[in-house]
Amino acid sequence: MTERLSALFSLKDEVVVLTGGYGLIGSVLAKGLAQLGAKVAAIEPALDEAKTRALGNAESTAVFAADVTKRDQLQRALADIRARWGAPTGLVANAALDSPPDAPAEENGPFETYPEASWDRVMEVNAKGVFLCAQVFGAAMAEAGRGSIVNVGSIYGVVSPDQSLYDYRRADGETFYKPVAYAASKSALYNFTRYLAAYWGPKNVRANIVTFAGVFNNQDPRFLEAYARKIPLRRPGREALANMAAAEDYLGAVAFLLSPASSYMTGAELRVDGGFTAI
Ligand SMILES: NC(=O)c1ccc[n+]([C@@H]2O[C@H](COP(=O)([O-])OP(=O)(O)OC[C@H]3O[C@@H](n4cnc5c(N)ncnc54)[C@H](O)[C@@H]3O)[C@@H](O)[C@H]2O)c1
């Protein structure tokens, strides 16, 4: 029984493609999924030796150079992954662009003047990139007759950014609004995921989406304070993080969706947000 139970959550026979493997969350997922037994094929547009080494053992983790917006590069990565470990059985579409706090002023300015070029760039990576990864890696899974796609959503793809969280920046004299493209691009992934679930269900390829909330990343204490008020969940010993998530908080949900434990689950959303969207 114990053996059967541990097989339920095992990633031992999985070859998981993880886009954005060098990132804040991606690097934690890469390390964690490998520790849970998967072979992890991270995808990044530019290889970096130090960052690759930091992901761990080359036996279980490798980084393949590809931009998720370039189909030919993804196809080359697929061929290289196949040659190394065989057909992928999992895809975590994690790579995305958000506007960083130090983005050009017009990108974080009023909606009325949000630059068209920024809209296109964010949509290109966050929506088209996820579509292309599903086409390339999902098709390989459908051909092999099994697979699990995990798209990475966001609370800002489910509810609007609460602009009052950023009052502190306006109090400092900045014109700051959390921009629109990230939220719009993330929201597209929810029905895209359901589309894939319906389309590839007969081929035994599942598609689900995880919704993540903000990750602690040394944000301004005034932001952390405002954000904490929106999170009902309180965890002992986590005051320093103002009860924001750590990237580690998301590993369990992703591993579950890749594992046999979720084998009857497709077209679903798994929300890991500390209750942000519950209130
Ligand atoms: N950090 C958060 O607070 C938060 C909250 C909710 C959801 N998310 C979601 O989690 C995921 C990871 O976020 P993160 O904070 O780790 O991001 P991050 O910016 O730290 O990492 C993103 C990674 O994606 C890679 N990338 C960017 N463009 C790419 C492209 N064209 N092709 C291939 N790779 C590319 C980058 O090089 C980077 O390593 C994203 O989908 C994000 O929307 C993050």
Side-chain angles (χ1 to χ4, degrees):
M1 183 66 177
T2 320
E3 221 169 86
R4 276 219 329 266
L5 279 181
S6 58
L8 204 56
F9 291 97
S10 170
L11 298 182
K12 196 169 69 60
D13 298 320
E14 309 301 332
V15 176
V16 177
V17 177
L18 165 72
T19 66
Y22 288 155
L24 183 65
I25 296 174
S27 58
V28 169
L29 293 181
K31 285 181 260 187
L33 296 174
Q35 278 166 19
L36 290 165
K39 305 288 189 222
V40 176
I43 301 281
E44 278 285 340
L47 298 186
D48 178 306
E49 238 177 75
K51 286 183 185 169
T52 300
R53 234 177 298 117
L55 292 183
N57 190 331
E59 296 262 301
S60 56
T61 311
V63 186
F64 298 83
D67 180 325
V68 294
T69 67
K70 304 275 186 307
R71 182 196 303 278
D72 57 331
Q73 296 182 13
L74 293 171
Q75 265 158 346
R76 249 196 327 271
L78 171 64
D80 291 346
I81 294 164
R82 270 193 169 129
R84 191 177 179 119
W85 286 319
T89 62
L91 165 66
V92 184
N94 164 77
L97 296 182
D98 193 2
S99 297
D102 57 353
E106 67 275 15
E107 214 169 285
N108 290 320
F111 168 77
E112 288 83 345
T113 49
Y114 181 73
E116 213 177 305
S118 302
W119 173 274
D120 289 344
R121 197 167 45 84
V122 170
M123 282 294 175
E124 178 92 355
V125 175
N126 297 10
K128 183 175 158 187
V130 173
F131 152 71
L132 287 177
C133 285
Q135 264 196 335
V136 171
F137 300 114
M141 293 180 213
E143 198 186 305
R146 107 176 160 92
S148 172
I149 296 172
V150 182
N151 291 324
V152 175
S154 162
I155 49 173
Y156 286 174
V158 177
V159 295
S160 167
D162 178 349
Q163 300 293 355
S164 75
L165 282 175
Y166 310 95
D167 277 348
Y168 74 96
R169 296 190 68 146
R170 292 187 286 274
D172 283 349
E174 274 179 88
T175 313
F176 184 95
Y177 295 93
K178 185 74 186 169
V180 61
Y182 179 81
S185 66
K186 283 291 169 184
S187 73
L189 302 186
Y190 290 80
N191 217 33
F192 178 64
T193 301
R194 288 185 281 268
Y195 184 98
L196 293 180
Y199 184 78
W200 272 330
K203 300 271 172 140
N204 193 29
V205 175
R206 301 183 293 113
N208 295 288
I209 185 160
V210 283
T211 298
F212 295 161
V215 173
F216 178 75
N217 196 16
N218 295 307
Q219 289 93 340
D220 188 295
R222 293 170 295 171
F223 172 82
L224 292 174
E225 200 185 303
Y227 187 91
R229 283 199 293 274
K230 293 182 67 80
I231 298 283
L233 189 65
R234 289 287 175 274
R235 295 180 291 181
R238 295 294 287 267
E239 290 76 8
L241 303 185
N243 262 75
M244 277 191 101
E248 286 76 7
D249 285 313
Y250 300 135
L251 174 62
V254 173
F256 165 69
L257 289 173
L258 292 169
S259 78
S262 61
S263 62
Y264 197 58
M265 203 170 154
T266 197
E269 180 211 350
L270 194 49
R271 200 170 288 189
V272 191
D273 72 350
F276 185 101
T277 55
I279 50 174

